[in-house]
Amino acid sequence: MCGIIGIVSEKQVLDRLIDGLERLEYRGYDSSGVAVIAREEIFHSKSTGKLNSLKNKLKHNLFDGCVGIGHTRWATHGEPTEINAHPHLTRNVAVVHNGIIENFAEFKNELLERGTRFNSQTDTEVIAKLVEEKISKEKCQPLEAVRLTIERLRGSFALCFIFRGLEDLLIATRKGSPLALGFGDKENFVSSDAASLSLFSKKICYLEEGDVVALTKDKVNIFDTSGKIVNRDIQILNSDPVNLNKGKFKHFMEKEIFEQPQVISQVLGFYLNASKETLSLPTLPEATEFKRIILIGCGTAFYSCLVAKYWFEKLCGLPTHAELASEFRYRSPVVNKDDLLVFVSQSGETADTIGALKYAREYSKNILAIINVEQSSMARLATWVFPTKAGPEIGVASTKAFVSQLIILKILNIKFASDLSTISKEQRSNLLIGLLELPRLYAEILSKNQNIRKLCKKFTRSNSVLYLGRDILYPIALEGALKLKEISYLHAEGYASGELKHGPIALIDKSMPVVALNPSTQVFEKTLSNLEEVKARKGKIILFTDEKGKELSKDLTKSIFQLPNCSDFLVPILYTLPLQLIAYYTALEKGTDVDQPRNLAKSVTVE
Ligand code: F6R
């Protein structure tokens, strides 16, 4: 994964490299580093841990160069040590890298045989050494040295280089990993994403596969794979730089949970005209064109696909599959011309999802991307784009982005049901009007957050937690368990409650908290029976249900949290919220790093 940035300017660049890295930290935060060229020499500094530790280190350094590169890392090859942190350097070259070089071992052996020594365990150092050889032994110019080197690399990369003695040159290239350019006045920029560039420039463009770019402060030359100078479409960014302000909240995750009533209103306001009960949607396909829907995503985004599978089959009668992107691509799935493939992603940069999208594109043009980051790779690869409009999500554990994915998928579900005439006009308006209830329902639950917080003491004393749901609440049980694992490092498992008796019931004893989701819907009684089985084995049930469900579950457990009554189709969206709060308050109780949990990154750009 990792985030990279490069700036060439007539002014000093160090502070802006750090500002840019702050915006890129979501891509990895186990170590970071910068390098600049000043007085013809390469100066660099690296540090393990969060960016703050690099900032502290740099207080004692005065890097006054006007060209520089920066990196924030999520370790792939080699532990997150200072030696493995980027930039990687040789006598003449400093490089930062996002991606993985699959054939690096082959080059490393070649270089070792020629007497080259390595300091780190990374694949990136091999690139620095290969470029160095081209410059110092074969006397290549930097651009040529980079081009000849990348020709041999397999895998994915976005790379940015600076060179000793060259104070007005930055070279960057990409294949597989994204890279954007920003154009300024007597300065130019390169970065892994547009959000970080928006700090410095509103005029940007994206490099295409295999492009190599040479940037000076006055000029940007982009070369395509054949070496021809090319132009790439310039876009003017209209969004403001990402707001890194937590306001009155302790963590971004807390802020993002609590702002959900406003976010939901914002998403609905964007697409739904409440007074006329009409939708104003981006260009989308007609459901009548398809025989099947395949929804694809990773992690939390996959769970939104799983919820949507229930919705699409029920309301539209269309066969629908939900697929893990990381599995989809490699099992040679059958994709037909009349399938609609829906890719769901907050970042729009997840390598597994992009890989699955590229695979699907070989068989069908019917590619819809549901994404939150509108300037993302997936947006550029898809035929249709349906933005989730949740605003930037900074906390690594996804909360408001998941909820907005559910809302968009529900809107798409209603549109498709109308296209196929599987719902009446009246049902359609009831569903649309029903969605408008959500902000109020969310606010009501949030006002009782302290009651949920009290429940969380039970979790911190356990080694494991089970989440149970049935039917459309099964994916929500999976999502609840994932949230808890991610930020509190507690083992948790989501299970379909009907499956409990087929194995996991063996886990139940008096030390096992079981979070049960059971509103009074069609599967209420069946789930209640499953929960009785838990009770008979002394499991500690924490039940989330509605008014009627509470009345009928009085003898089951004393730990009942009553959620507002709502229409059945809103149930998965509503029952997500208490599980986000459980994860957050448990992590607080345990004192873990809520916004940047260990081993994770916001955007997973490696397969
Ligand atoms: C969990 C979480 C991850 C992401 C997954 C996909 O809280 O955030 O599981 O959902 O990595 O990321 P996107 O949605 O950016 O494709």
Side-chain angles (χ1 to χ4, degrees):
M1 289 171 323
C2 311
I4 68 174
I5 183 156
I7 308 178
V8 55
S9 173
E10 61 172 5
K11 297 179 271 187
Q12 292 184 19
V13 293
L14 183 64
D15 288 350
R16 286 181 298 160
L17 287 175
I18 298 294
D19 290 346
L21 287 180
E22 227 162 46
R23 265 74 182 170
L24 290 169
E25 225 186 345
Y26 72 91
R27 302 175 75 93
Y29 39 75
D30 60 41
S31 56
S32 53
V34 286
V36 300
I37 309 287
R39 295 171 298 286
E40 308 241 307
E41 290 301 324
I42 302 176
F43 290 84
H44 79 281
S45 182
K46 310 189 204 186
S47 184
T48 55
K50 307 280 165 62
L51 190 61
N52 269 341
S53 67
L54 178 70
K55 281 194 207 164
N56 287 336
K57 219 169 163 181
L58 284 166
K59 276 186 192 150
H60 312 292
N61 285 304
L62 204 72
F63 290 177
D64 52 356
C66 294
V67 59
I69 52 180
H71 188 269
T72 178
R73 180 167 190 248
W74 184 85
T76 56
H77 291 66
E79 286 175 30
T81 57
E82 201 167 303
I83 285 182
N84 288 331
H86 300 215
H88 286 280
L89 292 96
T90 58
R91 184 171 145 70
N92 289 300
V93 181
V95 61
V96 285
H97 171 208
N98 164 215
I100 289 183
I101 306 303
E102 285 159 8
N103 55 345
F104 86 103
E106 181 189 313
F107 300 125
K108 192 163 181 173
N109 290 337
E110 272 179 25
L111 287 157
L112 283 168
E113 275 169 25
R114 293 200 287 270
T116 306
R117 294 226 179 116
F118 287 88
N119 296 317
S120 77
Q121 298 146 318
T122 65
D123 48 349
T124 310
E125 195 183 3
V126 172
I127 304 175
K129 301 279 187 195
L130 287 171
V131 175
E132 173 68 43
E133 263 197 352
K134 299 266 173 246
I135 290 178
S136 53
K137 291 201 183 141
E138 297 173 31
K139 305 294 173 211
C140 294
Q141 290 301 308
L143 186 64
E144 191 60 3
V146 169
R147 291 192 50 192
L148 291 171
T149 300
I150 62 161
E151 263 174 19
R152 304 182 64 201
L153 304 180
R154 253 199 341 265
S156 64
F157 53 81
L159 296 162
C160 191
F161 300 84
I162 51 174
F163 304 88
R164 191 172 72 94
L166 298 176
E167 297 191 14
D168 189 20
L169 180 68
L170 205 134
I171 293 181
T173 179
R174 70 158 286 241
K175 193 182 134 219
S177 303
L179 206 56
L181 305 181
F183 302 87
D185 183 18
K186 298 234 173 295
E187 52 189 7
N188 289 304
F189 310 86
V190 52
S191 169
S192 298
D193 75 12
S196 57
L197 287 179
S198 70
L199 287 174
F200 316 121
S201 165
K202 296 278 178 245
K203 201 173 147 193
I204 67 145
C205 80
Y206 290 94
L207 291 187
E208 291 191 2
E209 286 288 277
D211 281 354
V212 180
V213 59
L215 301 101
T216 66
K217 60 183 183 328
D218 297 313
K219 205 163 179 193
V220 173
N221 277 333
I222 305 172
F223 302 87
D224 69 6
T225 41
S226 68
K228 207 169 74 205
I229 292 203
V230 285
N231 291 318
R232 300 294 175 214
D233 291 348
I234 305 263
Q235 302 179 21
I236 305 298
L237 296 176
N238 46 23
S239 59
D240 288 330
V242 178
N243 179 1
L244 287 183
N245 189 347
K246 291 196 238 347
K248 62 177 181 177
F249 298 99
K250 193 165 177 207
H251 295 102
F252 280 109
M253 183 180 179
E254 185 189 17
K255 174 173 176 263
E256 286 157 5
I257 291 174
F258 278 82
E259 72 191 13
Q260 287 178 118
Q262 294 89 291
V263 169
I264 297 171
S265 303
Q266 176 183 307
V267 178
L268 293 174
F270 207 85
Y271 295 119
L272 179 64
N273 182 333
S275 59
K276 294 195 204 127
E277 294 165 25
T278 52
L279 289 169
S280 83
L281 302 180
T283 310
L284 293 169
E286 288 286 306
T288 46
E289 292 165 31
F290 311 115
K291 292 218 164 59
R292 183 170 73 146
I293 301 178
I294 306 177
L295 299 145
I296 302 171
C298 292
T300 288
F302 168 69
Y303 297 144
S304 71
C305 297
L306 215 46
V307 171
K309 172 183 158 65
Y310 289 77
W311 280 336
F312 281 103
E313 295 205 320
K314 196 164 192 166
L315 207 64
C316 306
L318 264 179
T320 307
H321 304 275
E323 297 269 3
L324 284 167
S326 53
E327 287 293 315
F328 182 74
R329 183 180 175 191
Y330 293 106
R331 63 174 171 75
S332 310
V334 176
V335 177
N336 299 318
K337 284 211 167 57
D338 46 14
D339 287 337
L340 171 67
L341 292 112
V342 183
F343 292 84
V344 182
S345 172
Q346 188 286 127
S347 62
E349 298 295 347
T350 301
D352 287 316
T353 315
I354 291 180
L357 194 161
K358 286 184 175 162
Y359 173 90
R361 258 185 20 155
E362 287 173 26
Y363 300 90
S364 169
K365 289 207 167 53
N366 305 326
I367 310 275
L368 167 63
I370 295 182
I371 41 154
N372 195 36
V373 180
E374 291 177 41
Q375 313 277 348
S376 58
S377 302
M378 269 179 235
R380 295 192 297 281
L381 290 165
T383 310
W384 304 282
V385 177
F386 199 163
T388 54
K389 298 283 175 199
E393 189 177 65
I394 312 287
V396 162
S398 186
T399 51
K400 63 174 184 170
F402 175 66
V403 169
S404 63
Q405 283 162 2
L406 292 180
I407 292 171
I408 296 301
L409 285 161
K410 189 66 216 176
I411 292 177
L412 189 67
N413 179 224
I414 299 169
K415 174 197 151 27
F416 279 6
S418 305
D419 293 349
L420 295 163
S421 308
T422 53
I423 51 169
S424 64
K425 274 203 172 132
E426 195 191 343
Q427 278 172 306
R428 182 178 188 272
S429 3
N430 287 343
L431 290 167
L432 294 177
I433 300 291
L435 281 172
L436 296 169
E437 286 287 292
L438 273 172
R440 178 184 63 76
L441 298 170
Y442 257 58
E444 193 179 324
I445 299 174
L446 286 171
S447 70
K448 297 184 185 139
N449 67 84
Q450 290 306 322
N451 300 349
I452 295 183
R453 188 170 187 166
K454 279 186 214 138
L455 294 174
C456 294
K457 299 246 183 315
K458 288 196 198 322
F459 301 106
T460 41
R461 290 193 291 267
S462 324
N463 294 326
S464 186
V465 182
L466 207 56
Y467 284 73
L468 296 180
R470 193 159 187 162
D471 192 40
I472 203 158
L473 282 173
Y474 162 50
I476 302 304
L478 294 171
E479 167 62 5
L482 173 63
K483 257 346 46 123
L484 191 72
K485 279 187 266 212
E486 272 184 298
I487 59 166
S488 68
Y489 315 150
L490 246 175
H491 174 255
E493 253 190 83
Y495 240 89
S497 48
E499 275 293 297
L500 194 68
K501 56 189 176 298
H502 299 291
I505 199 160
L507 293 167
I508 308 283
D509 62 16
K510 62 180 181 338
S511 67
M512 173 70 92
V514 177
V515 177
L517 311 175
N518 196 22
S520 55
T521 57
Q522 54 153 357
V523 289
F524 175 80
E525 283 177 1
K526 297 271 177 233
T527 311
L528 187 59
S529 307
N530 301 145
L531 296 177
E532 287 294 351
E533 292 153 15
V534 172
K535 185 183 174 198
R537 285 151 186 92
K538 298 196 167 42
K540 290 190 288 191
I541 299 172
I542 298 119
L543 176 67
F544 290 89
T545 184
D546 52 18
E547 193 181 1
K548 188 167 163 209
K550 183 174 177 186
E551 189 52 38
L552 295 169
S553 312
K554 270 198 311 241
D555 298 333
L556 183 74
T557 172
K558 288 203 168 47
S559 301
I560 300 186
F561 188 92
Q562 186 183 322
L563 292 168
N565 297 331
C566 68
S567 320
D568 282 5
F569 81 97
L570 294 181
V571 158
I573 310 180
L574 206 64
Y575 280 64
T576 298
L577 177 56
L579 306 193
Q580 295 173 345
L581 289 166
I582 288 180
Y584 177 68
Y585 288 129
T586 307
L588 266 194
E589 202 61 45
K590 292 195 73 189
T592 53
D593 188 342
V594 171
D595 283 332
Q596 294 184 323
R598 69 183 181 203
N599 305 339
L600 298 180
K602 183 75 186 153
S603 180
V604 186
T605 57
V606 292
E607 278 194 46

